[in-house]
Amino acid sequence: MSPKRAYVSPLREQAAAQTRALILQCATDLFAERGYGRVTVADIASAAGVASKTVFASVGSKGDILDKIVDQGVVASDYERSVRQMLSLKTGEAVLEALALGTRRGNEGQFSVHEAIRKALPAHENGEALWARATAAYRDALRCVAHHLHALPSPPSCPVEETADLLWFWFGPTGWRTLVVENGWSWDRAEAFLRRTAVTTLL
């Protein structure tokens, strides 16, 4: 007699995935608005319209939720495709124009995720490691772009590592946030300024 196989309901799995996505989105919005330390699992459950035990069963603790937000943010940035596009460009100006647009789209589209992570840092038991994990792929992508710029005709005059540092200074999440959030610039104005600054400085 063959053993019984567990029945898997596609509709149930789909509903569970939708619940997880809703919980993570509500948590992201709450963390971004109030700060990680001021949000409870009960708050997240209320916003998602589920019980607290559903949050724990579906996603885990508040720390687990933050970890999943970080992981989702890295995946959603689609940085690998953007970098491949930039590495195909043949002039420094074209690369920097694409970089300004690509990082603008990433930061604008993932703004609530970045805010959720940033506001969690003071309350998180290992905030420095959290930020490093959240931005590691981003920094690696900018290093790849810096190396590409130095392989093109008329490369930047500074060392490649300095170029990578400058790209992070201009196009990393802190640079975008400084202009758009702290100074009230539009995304369009910030993109044009950062592109122009990078081209003028490096090329």
Side-chain angles (χ1 to χ4, degrees), residues 21-126:
L22 177 61
I23 290 170
L24 288 173
Q25 185 58 60
C26 290
T28 300
D29 293 341
L30 288 171
F31 291 164
E33 179 185 352
R34 302 182 195 173
Y36 176 81
R38 296 182 178 180
V39 175
T40 66
V41 170
D43 293 330
I44 297 168
S46 177
V50 300
S52 293
K53 65 181 181 181
T54 302
V55 174
F56 283 109
S58 178
V59 189
S61 67
K62 195 168 76 164
D64 294 330
I65 292 171
L66 184 60
D67 284 339
K68 288 179 173 63
I69 289 171
V70 171
D71 293 338
Q72 281 193 351
V74 173
V75 172
S77 68
D78 198 18
Y79 69 93
E80 291 179 335
R81 183 184 62 81
S82 298
V83 170
R84 285 197 301 269
Q85 177 198 355
M86 291 174 210
L87 297 184
S88 71
L89 299 173
K90 305 302 183 184
T91 68
E93 189 164 353
V95 170
L96 293 173
E97 182 177 356
L99 183 61
L101 177 60
T103 55
R104 178 257 177 92
R105 286 175 174 168
N107 280 272
E108 188 175 12
Q110 293 291 304
F111 179 75
S112 61
V113 172
H114 290 170
E115 284 295 281
I117 297 169
R118 185 184 301 277
K119 290 184 179 181
L121 300 181
H124 196 274
E125 60 183 8
N126 199 351

Side-chain angles (χ1 to χ4, degrees), residues 118-157:
R118 185 184 301 277
K119 290 184 179 181
L121 300 181
H124 196 274
E125 60 183 8
N126 199 351
E128 186 175 341
L130 177 71
W131 184 246
R133 184 162 67 87
T135 59
Y138 198 154
R139 295 206 70 153
D140 286 344
L142 293 182
R143 288 191 189 97
C144 287
V145 174
H147 280 279
H148 182 55
L149 285 170
H150 280 262
L152 294 173
S154 303
S157 59

